[in-house]
Amino acid sequence: MKNAILLALLILPFELLCCSFDTKSFCKTIDIDIENIVVYGTIISKDDDGLDLEVIEVISGEESKSQIRIWDGKDFDCNGIFDMSTNLIGNINDSIIIFLPRILQVDNPWDVIGDYSRPSPYGWTPTLYVRGGMVSGYISHFPYSPPIDEQAVAYKKLKEAIQTNDCADLFILNSTNEPEVQNKITLQNPISSTVFIHQAHAANIVAVNIYSLSGKKMVAQRTEDQLQIAIAVEHLQSGLYILQTIKSDNTQETV
């Protein structure tokens, strides 16, 4: 939320200097070629000129190093209000997905050919955050989509979308032809007080947990022998949460 608020504050003065723009989603931001990559990694260190990212997986593009360097970019007005440092990307131990341009020529004293530069955030969304296997941020634009900091999708699904260059199926806002499934989770949008889970044939969900995006467990409920499960959430603050179901065979599913 801090990053989103700062972006909103910075857009106004920048618009006075050039043509106006709307913030583009992550799926609209990435433009993959051999010199740009989309990488999933963990921030392991930061200093005055940039940060070091431990690579978990290169989603798109070409990079063989297990650790990469992201250098500060050059501020638009000579180190003035438009901060192009890596300070706003995240904190040490944060796991992120980030779109990175490779440095091909030295424009700043700290640049190193072959490393990466902090991507411009002004009008673009180059960074998403990964927690508990879920990716959050302004991922994909759809009419009447939720606010930019409240979209979320499983990492596996986002990876497939990036690699096939197709984000169309990441968020199904209105689905009237859902196949019959044994366990159906019914979610109102937004949820006011209760989450309902309907089990059509067997009561095999034994527990339901709800986590905040920071990983804190907010709700833990045992559910043995219930075909219809009702979970009270009116005590939770407005925001995005991860719902986890645990079945009798110890398999898990998150929403």
Side-chain angles (χ1 to χ4, degrees):
M1 179 62 76
K2 179 181 178 181
N3 288 354
I5 292 174
L6 181 58
L7 178 61
L9 292 174
L10 289 175
I11 283 177
L12 179 57
F14 188 65
E15 287 183 339
L16 298 178
L17 299 176
C18 65
C19 59
S20 62
F21 53 78
D22 295 323
T23 302
K24 303 296 190 298
S25 68
F26 181 84
C27 286
K28 292 290 186 180
T29 298
I30 58 178
D31 182 18
I32 303 305
D33 58 39
I34 195 170
E35 305 302 342
N36 297 327
I37 65 172
V38 175
V39 62
Y40 170 31
T42 300
I43 299 172
I44 56 175
S45 65
K46 301 181 73 173
D47 54 47
D48 291 340
D49 294 325
L51 61 82
D52 296 305
L53 189 76
E54 182 177 3
V55 176
I56 298 174
E57 185 173 14
V58 178
I59 301 175
S60 191
E62 297 184 6
E63 178 55 73
S64 60
K65 295 193 292 288
S66 61
Q67 181 178 317
I68 60 176
R69 178 69 174 178
I70 306 174
W71 296 94
D72 292 349
K74 185 176 182 179
D75 294 349
F76 296 157
D77 59 349
C78 301
N79 296 314
I81 63 172
F82 295 108
D83 186 359
M84 279 293 291
S85 72
T86 58
N87 289 332
L88 301 181
I89 289 180
N91 300 312
I92 293 176
N93 296 323
D94 280 352
S95 292
I96 62 174
I97 295 174
I98 187 167
F99 169 70
L100 292 172
R102 196 185 303 268
I103 297 174
L104 301 178
Q105 63 183 28
V106 175
D107 293 325
N108 305 293
W110 53 84
D111 285 345
V112 175
I113 300 295
D115 283 351
Y116 297 92
S117 178
R118 190 256 208 265
S120 173
Y122 304 111
W124 308 98
T125 304
T127 308
L128 302 173
Y129 295 87
V130 186
R131 301 178 182 90
M134 298 295 292
V135 184
S136 63
Y138 185 21
I139 299 169
S140 187
H141 172 73
F142 291 92
Y144 312 109
S145 61
I148 65 174
D149 59 338
E150 293 189 6
Q151 292 186 350
V153 70
Y155 171 74
K156 181 179 178 180
K157 289 185 177 295
L158 180 62
K159 174 185 171 182
E160 292 173 352
I162 293 171
Q163 293 178 340
T164 60
N165 195 29
D166 183 8
C167 290
D169 293 329
L170 283 180
F171 295 92
I172 302 175
L173 300 180
N174 295 291
S175 177
T176 57
N177 298 310
E178 295 181 354
E180 284 295 323
V181 293
Q182 183 169 334
N183 299 313
K184 179 178 176 63
I185 299 176
T186 302
L187 300 178
Q188 301 79 30
N189 188 16
I191 297 170
S192 58
S193 61
T194 308
V195 176
F196 293 102
I197 300 176
H198 300 279
Q199 302 190 79
H201 303 293
N204 61 355
I205 294 178
V206 297
V208 177
N209 299 316
I210 296 178
Y211 295 88
S212 68
L213 288 184
S214 64
K216 182 179 180 181
K217 185 183 289 187
M218 310 299 292
V219 175
Q221 183 169 321
R222 302 292 297 182
T223 59
E224 290 95 341
D225 300 323
Q226 298 177 28
L227 288 177
Q228 178 168 305
I229 303 164
I231 305 166
V233 293
E234 67 270 9
H235 62 290
L236 298 180
Q237 293 183 352
S238 298
L240 182 67
Y241 296 85
I242 298 170
L243 184 146
Q244 175 194 57
T245 61
I246 302 174
K247 299 180 181 179
S248 55
D249 61 359
N250 288 325
T251 59
Q252 301 177 10
E253 182 179 358
T254 59
V255 178

